[in-house]
Amino acid sequence: MNSEIKEQIEKIKELFSNGWITEYEKDKRIKELDPNYKPTTNNSNSSQSTNNSDYYTTPNTTSYNDYSSNTYQNNDNSNYNNNNSDYYTTPTTTSYNNNSNNEIVFKSYDDVPVLNNDFSNLSLDNTKSKSTYNNNNNNNNYNQMLLEERQKQLKQRQLEEAMARKKFEEEQKTPHPLGSFASIFGPKPAATLSVTKQELNNDPNVTIVGWDHGVKFNLGLLNGKTYVDLRDWLKESTSGREPDSPTQAKSDQWKQEQYDLAKRVDKKNYITDISKIKYIGGVDISFAKNSKIDACASLVVLDYKTQKIVYQSFKMVKLTEPYIAGYLAFREAPHLMPLWKDLVTLYPQYKPDVLIVDGNGINHMRACGAACHLGVLMDIPTLGVAKTLLYANGITEEYINNGFKKGNTVEMIHQNEKTSLGYAIYNTHNEIIYISPGHKIDAKTSLQIVQATLKSRPIPEPTFQADRVSRDFLYQYYYKLKSSK
């Protein structure tokens, strides 16, 4: 017996020991190479089908055992079913040891060898003759099928990526559909906004629009949606710019708009049972460090029962109006309304039943604080929670202090109209906060909702989370965003 035949026999034995071929096939192939070879087991009782006997063999079933000895056990019950003998066989069971030195590990299907009659690696090329394949056609067909499936998936993925990129580029050419602040008051419906998925993050729950900054965000919620709006915004090149004070004409216009909006405030209570609230929202705006212009507006929606965030949105903005007591809405509403419109247009399933605003409601010199202002524009129940007292309607610091001498909750009563403007209470940090209804809610229900969401925070959880996520956004990404220079 020459060395080449011995080498082929060793390859056959190695294939068998690693479970690639059956014992029957091993004996058959060695017998072809060495007529004097005597099989280790008696296969004479195997009543195989006489047709295609080279192709249909007894399958080898491997049972994995970490603790068994390195043994191979053959069940010599290889009797084929007389009917459909080409397909139904009695398996040979093999016990395999995890510590075997013969163990072969493949990183992918591409590494699995496909063998021809000479037991050398065979390329899966359709142009080659089928006669070069070994008798185990099923293995070859399976590998070919895997290859074709991978190629098909790759082409599909490339097509989807190309379409997504084209859509993204087209969307960036569309200007942000924001008009003047006065346009918010008009009867125009919320504009339908285009959406770009954050492909770089591979996170379907994160949506970015205006992605000119090329920043990779890590904002995904465990159970919920994240929306980021960076359209038509560039970081201030200098920290020295400050908002301009309003002209007298603008101040007069603001006053008139507040009087007009106050007439549209609905004081009827639409939340008769707070236990039936599903979602509650909060809004806030935080400044970037060392800037009096650049800020991040945020809107969050929480599950009312669990107080967990299910939706969060961010918008980088320019606060071009200064803070003036009584006119907070004109500074913040133009930047919060686009986030609201995006929410109800793109993710209406997260629309909150009530919204808490960091500011006042009807406890206001013109009965139209920020909570009323936003409530009318959004047309949902709103309430305001302020950290400082707005002196109006006879409500002064002395009034509040005298009220606390009588109890832990002070109801704020309008000096002339004798109607309830809200309540003052102490939070868990022993600080006074001022609660007043905004739109479609009454003072008592507003108090109940704040008490239910205050927890251990200085302010209710929705506005606390809106403030926290906007500050976190600025801390993590502001320095990465592009400047106007």
Side-chain angles (χ1 to χ4, degrees), residues 276-334:
K276 294 182 179 180
I277 296 174
K278 182 178 181 181
Y279 292 136
I280 185 169
V283 292
D284 196 55
I285 296 182
S286 297
F287 274 106
K289 186 178 181 181
N290 300 324
S291 177
K292 296 181 180 180
I293 299 289
D294 287 341
C296 178
S298 64
L299 184 157
V300 299
V301 179
L302 282 65
D303 181 283
Y304 185 73
K305 290 184 173 61
T306 65
Q307 300 291 294
K308 300 297 182 183
I309 299 177
V310 296
Y311 175 89
Q312 60 182 358
S313 58
F314 308 92
K315 177 176 172 59
M316 290 303 302
V317 301
K318 302 284 185 183
L319 289 180
T320 55
E321 304 294 348
Y323 171 75
I324 302 175
Y327 295 102
L328 177 65
F330 294 95
R331 174 179 168 88
E332 297 189 350

Side-chain angles (χ1 to χ4, degrees), residues 37 45 74 119-120 122 133 218 254 282 340 342 345 356 359 383 405 449-450:
Y37 172 74
N45 293 330
N74 176 58
F119 299 95
S120 59
L122 179 66
Y133 287 85
N218 183 23
W254 287 354
W340 173 258
D342 291 341
T345 303
I356 301 182
L383 62 102
K405 292 177 182 179
I449 291 174
V450 171

Side-chain angles (χ1 to χ4, degrees), residues 159-386:
L159 178 62
E160 291 174 355
E161 290 174 354
M163 293 176 64
R165 177 53 54 186
K166 182 179 179 181
K167 181 180 178 183
F168 172 75
E169 292 173 351
E170 291 175 351
E171 287 169 350
Q172 303 316 300
K173 299 176 183 178
T174 304
H176 190 10
L178 286 180
S180 63
F181 176 61
S183 66
I184 295 177
F185 297 92
K188 297 178 182 179
T192 301
L193 303 179
S194 57
V195 180
T196 299
K197 293 296 180 184
Q198 187 179 7
E199 300 291 344
L200 288 181
N201 263 28
N202 242 351
D203 189 344
N205 291 325
V206 178
T207 300
I208 311 292
V209 291
W211 206 3
D212 299 330
H213 298 267
V215 178
K216 185 175 181 180
F217 296 94
N218 183 23
L219 299 164
L221 293 170
L222 182 62
N223 295 301
K225 296 286 185 181
T226 297
Y227 183 87
V228 181
D229 186 352
L230 298 176
R231 283 172 293 190
D232 304 326
W233 183 90
L234 288 174
K235 183 165 56 178
E236 286 288 294
S237 58
T238 175
S239 59
R241 187 162 78 100
E242 296 186 10
D244 297 327
S245 297
T247 62
Q248 185 61 47
K250 181 180 282 188
S251 296
D252 292 341
Q253 179 187 354
W254 287 354
K255 283 184 181 179
Q256 188 57 49
E257 288 180 352
Q258 285 182 332
Y259 283 127
D260 292 342
L261 280 174
K263 297 176 183 178
R264 296 166 57 186
V265 171
D266 190 345
K267 296 182 180 180
K268 178 182 177 182
N269 182 42
Y270 287 78
I271 302 179
T272 56
D273 185 354
I274 65 171
S275 66
K276 294 182 179 180
I277 296 174
K278 182 178 181 181
Y279 292 136
I280 185 169
V283 292
D284 196 55
I285 296 182
S286 297
F287 274 106
K289 186 178 181 181
N290 300 324
S291 177
K292 296 181 180 180
I293 299 289
D294 287 341
C296 178
S298 64
L299 184 157
V300 299
V301 179
L302 282 65
D303 181 283
Y304 185 73
K305 290 184 173 61
T306 65
Q307 300 291 294
K308 300 297 182 183
I309 299 177
V310 296
Y311 175 89
Q312 60 182 358
S313 58
F314 308 92
K315 177 176 172 59
M316 290 303 302
V317 301
K318 302 284 185 183
L319 289 180
T320 55
E321 304 294 348
Y323 171 75
I324 302 175
Y327 295 102
L328 177 65
F330 294 95
R331 174 179 168 88
E332 297 189 350
H335 309 301
L336 296 173
M337 283 304 298
L339 288 179
W340 173 258
K341 291 179 180 179
D342 291 341
L343 167 62
V344 297
T345 303
L346 302 173
Y347 305 103
Q349 68 271 29
Y350 294 114
K351 181 181 177 181
D353 301 299
V354 61
L355 182 78
I356 301 182
V357 179
D358 185 13
N360 291 285
I362 60 174
N363 181 34
H364 183 271
M365 59 279 291
R366 284 171 290 280
C368 189
C372 299
H373 201 125
L374 289 170
V376 171
L377 298 182
M378 296 176 179
D379 194 27
I380 65 163
T382 56
L383 62 102
V385 179

Side-chain angles (χ1 to χ4, degrees), residues 69 79 98 164 383 399:
S69 60
N79 294 320
N98 185 44
L383 62 102
Y399 178 98

